[in-house]
Amino acid sequence: MTPLFENGFQSANAPIVSTCGEPAQTVELTEENMEVRFAFRTDSGNVTLPYLLPFAQQYSYSFPGDFGTWQIDNLSAPGGFGGGWAFSYLPCA
């Protein structure tokens, strides 16, 4: 079986973080329901089974001061599978 999870930015689904003209920021997260999926092949075809990890995942993100704006894809949001955040970055103008 192959565990599957999504860890790349797809689209923004959470408030942005901007440090343009602002000091550095740190965000701490705890995810209680990280889902992974297991893909395997049977005689009937391909099957993918979801599995919620039975332990919390902890993440810490640091954003440098006066550095840029980050769009956030919360990978644990409903409909997603993965954990933590993925980003799309733009530097300060």
Side-chain angles (χ1 to χ4, degrees):
M1 284 190 274
T2 304
L4 306 170
F5 59 94
E6 184 64 49
N7 66 351
F9 183 88
Q10 299 294 316
S11 63
N13 62 4
I16 64 167
V17 171
S18 178
T19 61
C20 294
E22 301 291 330
Q25 296 182 40
T26 299
V27 178
E28 305 282 336
L29 297 177
T30 299
E31 302 276 354
E32 296 291 336
N33 296 309
M34 182 175 166
E35 181 179 293
V36 295
R37 297 178 186 172
F38 292 91
F40 57 95
R41 186 167 183 77
T42 68
D43 292 338
S44 301
N46 294 330
V47 177
T48 302
L49 296 175
Y51 178 74
L52 289 177
L53 295 178
F55 47 85
Q57 302 292 308
Q58 295 182 330
Y59 303 91
S60 178
Y61 299 104
S62 297
F63 303 93
D66 199 27
F67 198 74
T69 299
W70 292 263
Q71 290 184 331
I72 299 169
D73 184 351
N74 180 350
L75 302 173
S76 299
F81 67 102
W85 290 350
F87 304 95
S88 178
Y89 167 77
L90 289 172
C92 297

